[in-house]
Amino acid sequence: MKTSVEVQSARSRVSPEEWEARVALAAAYRLTDLYGMTDMIANHISVEVPGEPNHFLINAYGLLYTEITASNLLKIDIDGNVIMKSELDLGVNRAGFVVHSALHAARPEMKCIMHTHTRAGMAVSALKCGLLYLTQSSTRFDSVAYHDFTGQAFDLEERERLVKDMGNAEVMIMRNHGLLTLGESVPEAFNAMYRLELACRSQIDAMSCNTELNIPNAEAVKYAHSQWKPGVVRRYGMLEWPALLRRLDQIDPSYKL
Protein backbone atom coordinates (compact mmCIF):
# COMPACT_ATOMS: atom_id res chain seq x y z
CA MET A 1 0.00 0.00 0.00
CA LYS A 2 1.36 3.44 -0.93
CA THR A 3 1.38 5.90 1.96
CA SER A 4 2.65 8.90 0.01
CA VAL A 5 0.81 11.99 -1.20
CA GLU A 6 0.95 11.62 -4.96
CA VAL A 7 2.07 14.62 -7.00
CA GLN A 8 3.42 15.16 -10.49
CA SER A 9 6.89 13.65 -10.81
CA ALA A 10 9.76 16.13 -10.65
CA ARG A 11 12.23 13.78 -12.29
CA SER A 12 12.12 15.43 -15.72
CA ARG A 13 12.54 18.90 -14.21
CA VAL A 14 15.76 18.30 -12.29
CA SER A 15 19.25 17.03 -13.03
CA PRO A 16 20.03 13.31 -12.57
CA GLU A 17 22.21 14.26 -9.60
CA GLU A 18 19.42 16.20 -7.94
CA TRP A 19 16.97 13.38 -8.54
CA GLU A 20 19.36 10.94 -6.87
CA ALA A 21 19.64 13.28 -3.88
CA ARG A 22 15.85 13.60 -3.73
CA VAL A 23 15.36 9.84 -3.66
CA ALA A 24 18.00 9.41 -0.94
CA LEU A 25 16.47 12.17 1.18
CA ALA A 26 12.95 10.79 0.79
CA ALA A 27 14.31 7.40 1.85
CA ALA A 28 15.84 8.96 4.96
CA TYR A 29 12.46 10.39 5.94
CA ARG A 30 10.78 6.99 5.51
CA LEU A 31 13.56 5.26 7.49
CA THR A 32 13.26 7.81 10.27
CA ASP A 33 9.61 6.86 10.62
CA LEU A 34 10.39 3.15 10.34
CA TYR A 35 12.83 3.36 13.24
CA GLY A 36 10.49 5.36 15.48
CA MET A 37 12.21 8.75 15.39
CA THR A 38 9.37 11.03 14.22
CA ASP A 39 7.29 13.78 15.84
CA MET A 40 4.21 13.87 13.60
CA ILE A 41 4.86 16.59 10.95
CA ALA A 42 7.61 18.29 12.97
CA ASN A 43 11.38 18.01 12.46
CA HIS A 44 13.38 18.01 9.29
CA ILE A 45 16.15 16.45 7.24
CA SER A 46 17.84 18.42 4.47
CA VAL A 47 20.43 17.77 1.80
CA GLU A 48 22.35 20.19 -0.38
CA VAL A 49 21.39 20.14 -4.06
CA PRO A 50 24.37 18.71 -6.01
CA GLY A 51 25.99 21.39 -8.15
CA GLU A 52 23.87 24.15 -6.59
CA PRO A 53 25.64 25.68 -3.58
CA ASN A 54 23.32 27.43 -1.11
CA HIS A 55 20.32 25.42 -2.33
CA PHE A 56 18.96 22.52 -0.35
CA LEU A 57 16.04 20.11 -0.28
CA ILE A 58 13.75 19.83 2.73
CA ASN A 59 10.30 18.49 3.60
CA ALA A 60 7.11 20.40 2.88
CA TYR A 61 5.66 21.40 6.27
CA GLY A 62 2.43 19.50 6.76
CA LEU A 63 3.37 16.02 5.56
CA LEU A 64 4.02 12.99 7.72
CA TYR A 65 7.37 11.34 7.05
CA THR A 66 5.51 8.37 5.52
CA GLU A 67 4.05 10.74 2.91
CA ILE A 68 7.30 12.24 1.70
CA THR A 69 8.52 11.41 -1.79
CA ALA A 70 11.33 12.55 -4.05
CA SER A 71 8.91 14.81 -5.94
CA ASN A 72 7.12 16.54 -3.06
CA LEU A 73 10.32 17.79 -1.40
CA LEU A 74 10.89 21.55 -1.50
CA LYS A 75 14.00 23.17 -2.96
CA ILE A 76 14.88 26.35 -1.09
CA ASP A 77 17.83 28.70 -1.00
CA ILE A 78 19.90 29.85 1.93
CA ASP A 79 17.62 32.89 2.36
CA GLY A 80 14.48 30.78 2.62
CA ASN A 81 13.10 31.44 -0.85
CA VAL A 82 11.25 28.48 -2.32
CA ILE A 83 12.94 27.71 -5.64
CA MET A 84 10.88 24.66 -6.56
CA LYS A 85 7.90 22.90 -5.04
CA SER A 86 5.19 20.44 -5.98
CA GLU A 87 1.56 21.39 -6.52
CA LEU A 88 0.90 20.92 -2.79
CA ASP A 89 0.10 24.20 -1.05
CA LEU A 90 2.64 23.66 1.71
CA GLY A 91 5.57 25.80 2.81
CA VAL A 92 8.70 25.50 4.91
CA ASN A 93 8.91 24.97 8.67
CA ARG A 94 10.40 28.28 9.91
CA ALA A 95 12.57 26.64 12.57
CA GLY A 96 13.73 24.10 10.02
CA PHE A 97 14.85 26.87 7.67
CA VAL A 98 16.71 28.74 10.44
CA VAL A 99 18.60 25.68 11.71
CA HIS A 100 19.38 24.09 8.37
CA SER A 101 20.32 27.28 6.50
CA ALA A 102 22.78 28.18 9.27
CA LEU A 103 24.58 24.85 9.20
CA HIS A 104 24.54 24.38 5.42
CA ALA A 105 26.22 27.78 5.08
CA ALA A 106 28.76 27.23 7.87
CA ARG A 107 29.59 23.58 7.18
CA PRO A 108 29.40 23.14 3.39
CA GLU A 109 31.32 19.86 3.57
CA MET A 110 28.37 18.39 5.47
CA LYS A 111 25.77 17.85 2.76
CA CYS A 112 23.00 16.42 4.96
CA ILE A 113 21.55 17.71 8.25
CA MET A 114 19.05 15.81 10.40
CA HIS A 115 17.05 16.93 13.46
CA THR A 116 14.73 14.90 15.72
CA HIS A 117 12.55 15.22 18.82
CA THR A 118 12.57 11.64 20.08
CA ARG A 119 11.59 10.67 23.61
CA ALA A 120 15.07 9.41 24.43
CA GLY A 121 16.82 12.30 22.70
CA MET A 122 14.74 14.87 24.56
CA ALA A 123 15.31 13.02 27.82
CA VAL A 124 19.09 13.10 27.43
CA SER A 125 18.91 16.73 26.32
CA ALA A 126 17.28 17.54 29.69
CA LEU A 127 20.06 15.88 31.72
CA LYS A 128 22.89 18.09 32.98
CA CYS A 129 25.33 15.24 32.34
CA GLY A 130 24.36 15.07 28.67
CA LEU A 131 25.45 11.98 26.75
CA LEU A 132 27.46 9.52 28.82
CA TYR A 133 29.90 7.00 27.37
CA LEU A 134 27.99 4.03 28.72
CA THR A 135 27.80 1.85 25.62
CA GLN A 136 29.77 0.96 22.54
CA SER A 137 27.29 2.96 20.44
CA SER A 138 27.94 6.10 22.46
CA THR A 139 31.70 5.87 21.85
CA ARG A 140 31.02 6.49 18.17
CA PHE A 141 30.96 10.20 19.05
CA ASP A 142 34.21 11.61 20.38
CA SER A 143 32.93 15.18 20.09
CA VAL A 144 29.38 16.10 21.07
CA ALA A 145 28.25 19.72 20.77
CA TYR A 146 25.64 21.28 23.09
CA HIS A 147 23.29 24.18 22.38
CA ASP A 148 21.25 25.83 25.15
CA PHE A 149 17.51 26.24 24.77
CA THR A 150 16.17 29.80 24.41
CA GLY A 151 12.84 29.03 22.75
CA GLN A 152 11.89 27.83 19.29
CA ALA A 153 14.41 28.68 16.58
CA PHE A 154 12.30 31.24 14.70
CA ASP A 155 14.76 34.17 14.84
CA LEU A 156 17.62 34.52 12.37
CA GLU A 157 19.84 35.66 15.24
CA GLU A 158 19.75 32.07 16.46
CA ARG A 159 21.91 30.97 13.52
CA GLU A 160 25.14 32.58 14.75
CA ARG A 161 24.88 30.99 18.18
CA LEU A 162 23.98 27.62 16.69
CA VAL A 163 26.99 27.64 14.36
CA LYS A 164 29.32 28.69 17.19
CA ASP A 165 28.07 25.90 19.45
CA MET A 166 28.27 23.30 16.69
CA GLY A 167 31.92 24.01 15.95
CA ASN A 168 33.48 21.07 14.12
CA ALA A 169 31.31 18.42 15.78
CA GLU A 170 29.27 15.86 13.86
CA VAL A 171 26.44 15.69 16.37
CA MET A 172 24.71 18.10 18.69
CA ILE A 173 22.44 17.72 21.68
CA MET A 174 20.12 20.70 21.71
CA ARG A 175 19.43 21.20 25.40
CA ASN A 176 15.81 20.62 26.47
CA HIS A 177 14.99 20.13 22.80
CA GLY A 178 16.37 17.19 20.80
CA LEU A 179 19.15 15.81 18.63
CA LEU A 180 20.94 17.00 15.50
CA THR A 181 23.42 15.24 13.23
CA LEU A 182 25.50 16.20 10.19
CA GLY A 183 26.85 13.97 7.44
CA GLU A 184 28.82 14.25 4.23
CA SER A 185 25.98 12.26 2.65
CA VAL A 186 22.42 11.25 3.48
CA PRO A 187 23.44 7.71 4.57
CA GLU A 188 26.08 9.13 6.92
CA ALA A 189 23.76 11.67 8.58
CA PHE A 190 21.06 9.03 9.04
CA ASN A 191 23.53 6.53 10.45
CA ALA A 192 24.85 9.12 12.91
CA MET A 193 21.32 9.85 14.10
CA TYR A 194 20.45 6.17 14.41
CA ARG A 195 23.55 5.55 16.54
CA LEU A 196 23.01 8.68 18.64
CA GLU A 197 19.40 7.73 19.23
CA LEU A 198 20.44 4.20 20.22
CA ALA A 199 22.99 5.62 22.66
CA CYS A 200 20.34 7.90 24.19
CA ARG A 201 17.78 5.11 24.52
CA SER A 202 20.24 2.79 26.22
CA GLN A 203 21.42 5.56 28.57
CA ILE A 204 17.89 6.40 29.70
CA ASP A 205 17.12 2.69 30.15
CA ALA A 206 20.25 2.16 32.24
CA MET A 207 19.74 5.28 34.36
CA SER A 208 16.13 4.29 35.09
CA CYS A 209 17.21 1.03 36.76
CA ASN A 210 18.14 2.83 40.00
CA THR A 211 21.45 1.05 40.37
CA GLU A 212 25.09 2.08 39.99
CA LEU A 213 26.21 2.55 36.40
CA ASN A 214 29.24 0.73 35.03
CA ILE A 215 31.08 3.45 33.09
CA PRO A 216 34.10 2.34 31.00
CA ASN A 217 37.39 3.93 31.96
CA ALA A 218 38.76 6.88 30.00
CA GLU A 219 41.46 4.82 28.29
CA ALA A 220 38.93 2.29 26.98
CA VAL A 221 36.64 5.07 25.76
CA LYS A 222 39.52 6.83 23.99
CA TYR A 223 40.53 3.60 22.25
CA ALA A 224 36.92 2.91 21.26
CA HIS A 225 36.69 6.41 19.75
CA SER A 226 39.70 5.64 17.56
CA GLN A 227 38.14 2.40 16.33
CA TRP A 228 35.18 4.28 14.84
CA LYS A 229 37.31 6.58 12.69
CA PRO A 230 36.71 6.42 8.91
CA GLY A 231 40.38 5.57 8.39
CA VAL A 232 39.94 2.44 10.50
CA VAL A 233 36.54 1.26 9.23
CA ARG A 234 34.41 2.08 6.17
CA ARG A 235 32.58 5.40 6.18
CA TYR A 236 29.62 5.26 8.52
CA GLY A 237 26.33 4.14 7.04
CA MET A 238 27.50 3.31 3.53
CA LEU A 239 27.41 -0.49 3.83
CA GLU A 240 24.00 -0.47 5.54
CA TRP A 241 22.33 1.94 3.12
CA PRO A 242 21.59 -0.45 0.21
CA ALA A 243 20.13 -2.94 2.69
CA LEU A 244 17.93 -0.24 4.21
CA LEU A 245 16.69 0.73 0.75
CA ARG A 246 15.85 -2.90 0.00
CA ARG A 247 13.76 -2.99 3.17
CA LEU A 248 11.94 0.18 2.14
CA ASP A 249 11.29 -1.25 -1.31
CA GLN A 250 9.69 -4.31 0.28
CA ILE A 251 7.46 -2.16 2.51
CA ASP A 252 6.55 0.76 0.24
CA PRO A 253 8.67 1.94 -2.71
CA SER A 254 6.63 5.11 -3.22
CA TYR A 255 9.39 7.25 -1.70
CA LYS A 256 11.05 7.05 -5.13
CA LEU A 257 8.14 8.74 -6.95
Side-chain angles (χ1 to χ4, degrees):
M1 176 185 295
K2 292 182 180 180
T3 56
S4 62
V5 175
E6 294 190 13
V7 298
Q8 183 179 358
S9 176
R11 187 166 190 169
S12 63
R13 294 181 286 145
V14 302
S15 68
E17 293 79 13
E18 179 177 333
W19 183 252
E20 183 177 352
R22 283 174 170 270
V23 172
L25 183 57
Y29 278 104
R30 299 297 185 94
L31 289 166
T32 301
D33 177 80
L34 184 63
Y35 284 98
M37 296 188 288
T38 58
D39 181 9
M40 293 192 289
I41 64 169
N43 299 153
H44 9 83
I45 316 170
S46 64
V47 67
E48 183 180 283
V49 179
E52 297 184 33
N54 296 326
H55 290 74
F56 58 94
L57 304 170
I58 198 166
N59 54 317
Y61 193 32
L63 298 179
L64 295 172
Y65 279 22
T66 52
E67 297 178 309
I68 291 173
T69 68
S71 293
N72 66 34
L73 291 163
L74 300 179
K75 183 197 292 191
I76 67 174
D77 66 18
I78 214 74
D79 297 315
N81 300 304
V82 177
I83 306 301
M84 179 178 170
K85 64 178 182 178
S86 70
E87 58 267 34
L88 298 177
D89 187 24
L90 296 172
V92 183
N93 180 308
R94 173 68 179 180
F97 156 67
V98 170
V99 171
H100 289 249
S101 63
L103 293 172
H104 276 296
R107 299 285 299 277
E109 79 282 7
M110 294 297 187
K111 305 303 183 184
C112 184
I113 301 166
M114 183 170 181
H115 173 51
T116 62
H117 293 165
T118 63
R119 181 175 176 177
M122 289 190 292
V124 170
S125 79
L127 300 176
K128 282 192 175 182
C129 64
L131 184 71
L132 299 176
Y133 293 123
L134 288 177
T135 61
Q136 177 173 284
S137 291
S138 66
T139 64
R140 153 79 180 273
F141 310 106
D142 61 352
S143 178
V144 179
Y146 290 87
H147 180 68
D148 287 339
F149 181 73
T150 58
Q152 296 191 54
F154 292 158
D155 299 326
L156 294 180
E157 290 75 14
E158 179 76 5
R159 296 193 289 191
E160 184 176 350
R161 194 167 63 87
L162 183 71
V163 168
K164 181 180 178 181
D165 289 342
M166 191 79 211
N168 293 319
E170 174 192 9
V171 303
M172 171 181 276
I173 294 178
M174 304 178 80
R175 297 280 192 187
N176 310 97
H177 185 171
L179 307 177
L180 189 145
T181 64
L182 310 180
E184 294 185 18
S185 66
V186 173
E188 290 172 83
F190 178 80
N191 186 270
M193 183 60 77
Y194 176 84
R195 296 294 177 192
L196 184 58
E197 171 68 14
L198 195 62
C200 288
R201 290 183 188 184
S202 58
Q203 178 174 323
I204 294 302
D205 287 346
M207 294 179 79
S208 69
C209 291
N210 195 30
T211 188
E212 186 176 359
L213 299 174
N214 182 48
I215 301 178
N217 63 55
E219 184 177 345
V221 170
K222 183 179 180 180
Y223 180 60
H225 285 327
S226 71
Q227 292 178 305
W228 285 103
K229 298 297 183 183
V232 179
V233 296
R234 61 192 169 273
R235 294 201 66 82
Y236 311 137
M238 303 309 291
L239 182 63
E240 299 93 333
W241 190 249
L244 291 172
L245 295 184
R246 289 194 296 271
R247 187 177 185 195
L248 282 184
D249 288 342
Q250 292 169 351
I251 298 169
D252 178 7
S254 66
Y255 69 95
K256 296 186 287 188
L257 297 177

